[in-house]
Amino acid sequence: MAEQIVVYNTMTRRKEVFQPQERGKVSIYVCGVTPYNEPHIGNARPFVTWDTIRRFFERIGYEVYYVQNFTDVDDKIIRAAHEQNVSWKEIADRYIAAYFQALDALNVRRANVYPRVSETIPEIIAMVQGLIEHDYAYALEGDVYYSVEKFAGYGKLSGRTLEDMLAGARVEVDERKRNPMDFALWKAAKPGEPSWDSPWGKGRPGWHIECSTMSLKFLGEHFDFHGGGSDLIFPHHENEIAQSQAYCGDPHSFARYWVHNGFITIHAEKMSKSRGNFFTVADILKKYPGEVVRFFILQTHYRSPLDFSDDRLQDAQAGFARLETAKENAIVLIEREGTSDTAKGLAAAARAAQSAFYEAMGDDFNTALAISYLFAVAKDINVYYNDVINRGVAFDAENFSTVRQVFDDMTDIIGILEAPAERDMKEDAAVAALIEERLAARKAKNWVRADEIRDELKVKGILLEDSAAGTRWKRI
RNA sequence: GGCGACAUAGCCAAGUGGUAAGGCCGAGGUCUGCAAAACCUCUAUUCCCCAGUUCGACUCUGGGUGUCGCCUCCA
């Protein structure tokens, strides 16, 4: 399955066949967040996306090494610390914790390492020094700047030239810099800011250098994927390339495939902290389960913009509920025994759907298409459930187990429906007692009492569903 | 101003040079004591507009319109 994987590479602007640096292994570096406030849903998109990509690679037999950094030394963190009168470290720790909490709720599995800038200072200093030695950078009154003119390939990722950039110059010109586009590798310390000793005096790393350093530290000079939101293409990723390739002296070093996700928007406009038009993951989770939010994100291809709204989340929830029902139906069925061959065709269809699913995932991680095959299997499960439970069709344990495995395999990759669906079907003894009472009432054709019980539970947010196999309930 | 992306049904959203996946909503139906859930049927002669290439384009080319993004922190 999925013999060939193609990936859209921002660098070349087209899909390319994926060839791992090292056979059977995939190395991934994804730019993490600057932890200075609550993560919003837009921040979460790349991590849900990459978690899914990672699951897919692992499922088809690759060994994945996934690195994601935290930029915990930064202007915005320092500002927040001053405003709240706490240490920068406290701000960073607090929001890193909030960030993990959000990702856990979205079923995002942990990366292999989460390096932080504050823990990578010696390596960063060494890299900056190396860039100076190679004449790609220059020190200036305690700052160190990267000299973009020295790097021939500057602009190759974002598809622009230095001339283009200067033409549209919205950068404030610092006369000391050799070129207006030169960017800081190291910033001289200002009073009240965290700083570290360096050959250029006390200071701290500039933005960009940390990712070059960390990827080199954990993944080496060559690795497979580098990801993040498309707002990072320029200048962040462009500068990383300039730093890393200049440092290694190899124009082919660094990431081989650049994968950028589209934005989450609100009323078609980019959601961002600076615009203030964002919804935090925590707030959304008050209204919707994390799995629904995850499903919502993955129903759109990662490169497309995704407009966020309550209505759309509700639509996603409705679709998700049907998958959930299929999962529950499968669980009810699988407990049965049966040696017929009534699910033979279903098993074949499920295998076909599975193969189509993998093909979709292998084509630039097309989760939207892949999910359509998940729905196909869900429908088959539901039809079969009705056949067996309500229409007396003989059960086919062997073939149905194939169908069920396929379904679970797909949901595992998408990263949904992981919690056992039985969870809310048993717990509450009081509900079970009422269901018993209602069953008795129904047997006695006491519809008034039966409906009374159903309405009573409904008020409590519990929905009853009758079938020939009994009554089950769920929270709404 | 420079660079780039996108434009598919009521809503969301895949997709291909050969005649439009899937989801949501809506209508009708099956099942059910009634519901709910599930399932079935229906719901774009058509893919922003105009040219061109082609036997054939929604898919390629050119132009236009619109929306969005990057160029400043940003996932």
Side-chain angles (χ1 to χ4, degrees):
Chain A
M1 41 181 82
E3 317 71 35
Q4 183 173 289
I5 292 171
V6 297
V7 183
Y8 181 87
N9 189 350
T10 306
M11 182 67 85
T12 56
R13 286 159 208 262
R14 57 171 178 249
K15 288 184 185 177
E16 295 176 16
V17 174
F18 172 65
Q19 289 174 311
Q21 212 71 232
E22 202 178 329
R23 195 178 173 76
K25 296 186 177 181
V26 178
S27 45
I28 302 170
Y29 185 94
V30 176
C31 287
V33 295
T34 298
Y36 72 100
N37 61 12
E38 290 289 328
H40 68 242
I41 185 69
N43 293 312
R45 167 124 94 149
F47 308 115
V48 167
T49 298
W50 280 100
D51 180 61
T52 307
I53 292 172
R54 180 252 193 102
R55 286 165 185 257
F56 173 62
F57 273 120
E58 288 183 347
R59 187 63 193 76
I60 60 176
Y62 282 91
E63 187 185 318
V64 174
Y65 193 68
Y66 177 16
V67 180
Q68 194 195 301
N69 72 290
F70 282 114
T71 301
D72 67 346
V73 177
D74 171 271
D75 291 346
K76 294 186 291 298
I77 294 174
I78 294 167
R79 195 188 318 135
H82 283 314
E83 282 166 9
Q84 298 173 41
N85 203 26
V86 296
S87 71
W88 64 270
K89 183 95 175 94
E90 193 173 327
I91 294 288
D93 285 346
R94 181 195 304 162
Y95 293 113
I96 285 173
Y99 168 85
F100 277 130
Q101 206 166 23
L103 294 198
D104 287 348
L106 298 175
N107 270 350
V108 171
R109 288 167 46 205
R110 297 295 167 100
N112 294 275
V113 249
Y114 288 96
R116 302 185 188 193
V117 174
S118 62
E119 295 165 354
T120 320
I121 301 290
E123 292 92 334
I124 288 173
I125 289 173
M127 194 165 194
V128 173
Q129 186 118 46
L131 285 167
I132 292 175
E133 282 162 13
H134 296 170
D135 202 29
Y136 281 100
Y138 55 96
L140 204 79
E141 298 164 25
D143 295 327
V144 179
Y145 288 98
Y146 186 95
S147 182
V148 293
E149 289 166 11
K150 294 283 175 63
F151 185 68
Y154 197 72
K156 62 184 174 183
L157 178 68
S158 54
R160 48 190 111 181
T161 62
L162 272 175
E163 293 75 63
D164 289 342
M165 298 180 216
L166 291 173
R170 280 161 58 185
V171 283
E172 79 283 14
V173 180
D174 180 342
E175 295 298 342
R176 302 175 310 154
K177 293 199 287 190
R178 293 182 188 169
N179 184 298
M181 298 307 294
D182 288 354
F183 55 92
L185 296 172
W186 187 264
K187 296 174 165 181
K190 292 179 191 149
E193 289 187 357
S195 63
W196 289 261
D197 288 322
S198 81
W200 318 285
K202 279 190 172 297
R204 61 186 168 96
W207 186 42
H208 315 305
I209 189 67
E210 81 280 18
C211 287
S212 285
T213 305
M214 292 174 183
S215 63
L216 182 64
K217 179 175 177 181
F218 291 97
L219 297 170
E221 292 190 12
H222 298 266
F223 57 95
D224 296 310
F225 291 106
H226 196 131
S230 37
D231 46 358
L232 297 180
I233 295 171
F234 191 91
H236 188 53
H237 288 338
E238 195 70 72
N239 291 352
E240 285 182 41
I241 291 170
Q243 293 163 345
S244 293
Q245 296 184 346
Y247 181 78
C248 296
D250 176 0
H252 300 294
S253 65
F254 212 39
R256 185 147 179 189
Y257 304 92
W258 290 86
V259 176
H260 293 98
N261 59 274
F263 303 123
I264 287 189
T265 57
I266 300 232
H267 302 310
E269 294 206 330
K270 182 183 176 185
M271 179 188 294
S272 72
K273 289 177 181 175
S274 50
R275 292 174 198 231
N277 62 343
F278 61 87
F279 286 83
T280 67
V281 175
D283 280 344
I284 294 165
L285 289 173
K286 286 176 192 159
K287 269 184 102 172
Y288 300 92
E291 292 193 309
V292 168
V293 178
R294 182 181 174 109
F295 178 70
F296 165 74
I297 289 172
L298 294 175
Q299 260 191 311
T300 297
H301 185 90
Y302 74 87
R303 276 192 283 114
S304 302
L306 206 203
D307 206 51
F308 178 88
S309 76
D310 203 52
D311 283 353
R312 285 172 199 184
L313 219 34
Q314 267 175 35
D315 287 353
Q317 188 165 39
F320 180 83
R322 207 147 63 82
L323 296 176
E324 203 169 29
T325 299
K327 168 106 178 175
E328 288 166 8
N329 286 343
I331 288 171
V332 169
L333 282 178
I334 210 72
E335 285 166 0
R336 306 193 152 218
E337 291 179 2
T339 54
S340 78
D341 64 352
T342 55
K344 206 170 171 181
L346 282 194
R351 279 191 215 98
Q354 184 175 38
S355 136
F357 179 96
Y358 277 86
E359 201 180 310
M361 287 302 293
D363 184 3
D364 198 26
F365 316 117
N366 193 338
T367 53
L369 219 209
I371 285 171
S372 73
Y373 300 114
L374 178 57
F375 273 103
V377 178
K379 179 179 284 188
D380 281 349
I381 289 173
N382 291 335
V383 169
Y384 193 61
Y385 174 85
N386 275 321
D387 284 350
V388 172
I389 301 299
N390 296 323
R391 298 210 178 91
V393 169
F395 186 57
D396 174 353
E398 193 183 328
N399 282 308
F400 184 74
S401 124
T402 300
V403 177
R404 198 255 181 140
Q405 277 164 23
V406 166
F407 186 78
D408 287 352
D409 184 52
M410 290 176 168
T411 56
D412 283 351
I413 292 171
I414 296 301
I416 55 171
L417 298 173
E418 290 188 327
E422 303 99 310
R423 67 191 185 277
D424 50 7
M425 292 163 76
K426 291 177 180 167
E427 291 166 5
D428 202 329
V431 175
L434 283 171
I435 287 175
E436 277 307 308
E437 189 190 336
R438 178 164 167 275
L439 182 65
R442 290 178 69 209
K443 269 186 182 155
K445 296 198 189 301
N446 182 356
W447 309 127
V448 175
R449 178 57 188 153
D451 291 351
E452 207 173 86
I453 292 170
R454 187 167 63 198
D455 293 343
E456 206 175 291
L457 287 171
K458 194 173 179 183
V459 171
K460 293 177 185 165
I462 289 167
L463 195 69
L464 297 188
E465 293 174 3
D466 298 328
S467 81
T471 299
R472 71 185 187 205
W473 61 275
K474 62 182 176 190
R475 295 195 185 279
I476 46 172

